Structure formats: C-alpha cells, structure tokens
Amino acid sequence: MKFEWKYNAIIYRRSSDEVLLDKLYNSYEEAQTAIEKNIERFADVDYPPTGHINKDYVQVDDSL
C-alpha cells in the first residue's frame, strides 16, 4: 500500500453547495488548469460557481 499527495480540484456553487467538478490531479498546476478550463461551463448569472484546490494525502494502488 502506498500513499502520495494529490491535488483535488473542486468547482461548486456557494449558494447551494452543489459540487460541479471534483477530480484529483498529480500537481497543483494541473488542478488549477482544470478549474480555469471548466469553471465557465458552469457559469450562471444568478448562482456563479467558485473553485478551490485541496491538497490530499491519498492511498494509491501500487500493484499495477
């Protein structure tokens, strides 16, 4: 069993806490790019989305 740092890109609506994108990436830069590329897809005049990145220490499958 192995653990490593991953960066979780999350886009959500503050008004409802609805999660619109939630995906793990290997680097902060990849996560940031994913938010920048995807956030406009969820844009809504009444309820604009917001994005943030969490750094998580997650278990990875090293048997591959």
Side-chain angles (χ1 to χ4, degrees), residues 30-46:
E30 287 176 324
Q32 184 175 19
T33 299
I35 288 174
E36 290 170 357
K37 284 185 175 178
N38 288 289
I39 200 162
E40 287 184 9
R41 293 188 318 156
F42 304 111
D44 180 313
V45 175
D46 297 324

Side-chain angles (χ1 to χ4, degrees), residues 1-2 7 17 26-27 35-36 43-44 49-50 52 57:
M1 198 177 316
K2 185 172 125 178
Y7 296 85
D17 288 333
N26 292 320
S27 72
I35 288 174
E36 290 170 357
D44 180 313
T50 190
H52 69 265
Y57 198 56

Side-chain angles (χ1 to χ4, degrees), residues 2-60:
K2 185 172 125 178
F3 291 86
E4 61 185 43
W5 287 106
K6 295 282 186 179
Y7 296 85
N8 191 17
I10 300 172
I11 297 174
Y12 67 99
R13 293 196 198 287
R14 283 190 194 141
S15 58
S16 65
D17 288 333
E18 176 188 4
V19 175
L20 306 167
L21 175 82
D22 185 350
K23 190 168 179 189
L24 289 175
Y25 292 91
N26 292 320
S27 72
Y28 184 91
E29 291 76 18
E30 287 176 324
Q32 184 175 19
T33 299
I35 288 174
E36 290 170 357
K37 284 185 175 178
N38 288 289
I39 200 162
E40 287 184 9
R41 293 188 318 156
F42 304 111
D44 180 313
V45 175
D46 297 324
Y47 302 104
T50 190
H52 69 265
I53 299 171
N54 291 336
K55 186 176 180 184
D56 294 324
Y57 198 56
V58 299
Q59 181 178 335
V60 293

